[in-house]
Amino acid sequence: MFNRTLCAPFALSLLILSGCSSTAPSPQVKQLHQEVSQLSQQMQQLTGQAEALETQGQLNSQAAQGAWLLPLAKTPVLLQTQLGEIRLSLGQVKGDVEGSRVDLTLSSSNHQPLPALSASVVWGELDPTSGKPLNASSQQQTLVIPASLTPQSSVTVPLHLGGLAPEQLGFIRVHDVMSNGEPLTH
């Protein structure tokens, strides 16, 4: 008897609610659902960017020389050199026939002209679990900025990063910066 007393109102409530849910949602409700979905996507992007920014900061705080850039962080990094600080920033990563391409901008933080220089550029994936660089599968190339592009306080050069699609590219590391045969990094 006790169960029937509780079950009857419960069943009646379910019947009423099922009738309410069968009506078509209004345009306002559809719009609200769409806005919630967009906000959810933006939150996921911002969360990913915050995590990448934190990882980028940790990598650079532990680096003895060179600078780490994580495309998802979308934040410039300062590289300490004998000529002063060089600000490194990445453009949007795009697909390429052989992998990815991205513009790397090097800027003098004191607005003095940059010299002709070369640097090693390493790129690769991040471990999906730890967020740390997977050095075993990383690739490297030498970047040369000739005197014909300098003296300017800022230079943008295209990087062609083979072997990884844009969504796989987890990090870019710039190190062993040289000018006139002299190392610039500490």
Side-chain angles (χ1 to χ4, degrees):
M1 179 171 196
F2 181 69
N3 286 339
R4 287 185 184 170
T5 308
L6 289 177
C7 288
F10 180 71
L12 182 60
S13 297
L14 282 176
L15 184 60
I16 292 171
L17 287 175
S18 67
C20 291
S21 67
S22 65
T23 60
S26 69
Q28 294 87 358
V29 171
K30 285 182 181 180
Q31 182 179 356
L32 185 60
H33 283 289
Q34 188 175 28
E35 289 174 9
V36 168
S37 176
Q38 289 172 348
L39 285 173
S40 177
Q41 287 177 337
Q42 290 173 348
M43 282 298 296
Q44 288 175 351
Q45 289 173 345
L46 288 173
T47 300
Q49 184 177 357
E51 290 170 356
L53 185 57
E54 183 178 341
T55 301
Q56 178 175 286
Q58 289 172 351
L59 289 170
N60 282 311
S61 70
Q62 298 168 0
Q65 62 172 286
W68 295 85
L69 293 153
L70 275 60
L72 286 178
K74 299 178 183 176
T75 303
V77 173
L78 294 175
L79 176 61
Q80 297 295 326
T81 73
Q82 291 178 352
L83 299 176
E85 291 180 331
I86 295 178
R87 182 178 185 248
L88 305 172
S89 60
L90 296 174
Q92 182 178 353
V93 179
K94 298 178 180 171
D96 196 336
V97 175
E98 297 175 10
S100 299
R101 63 184 164 90
V102 64
D103 287 338
L104 173 67
T105 301
L106 298 89
S107 305
S108 170
S109 63
N110 61 6
H111 304 293
Q112 296 297 313
L114 291 169
L117 55 87
S118 66
S120 291
V121 177
V122 179
W123 67 95
E125 295 180 82
L126 295 175
D127 182 301
T129 305
S130 69
K132 304 231 186 254
L134 294 171
N135 292 320
S137 62
S138 65
Q139 300 179 53
Q140 182 171 332
Q141 71 179 351
T142 300
L143 170 68
V144 177
I145 300 176
S148 62
L149 294 178
T150 60
Q152 297 181 56
S153 63
S154 181
V155 176
T156 300
V157 293
L159 296 178
H160 296 278
L161 310 172
L164 293 176
E167 61 275 3
Q168 295 174 301
L169 182 63
F171 72 89
I172 296 172
R173 181 170 178 254
V174 179
H175 65 99
D176 293 336
V177 178
M178 308 280 279
S179 174
N180 300 326
E182 298 288 322
L184 296 176
T185 56
H186 296 324

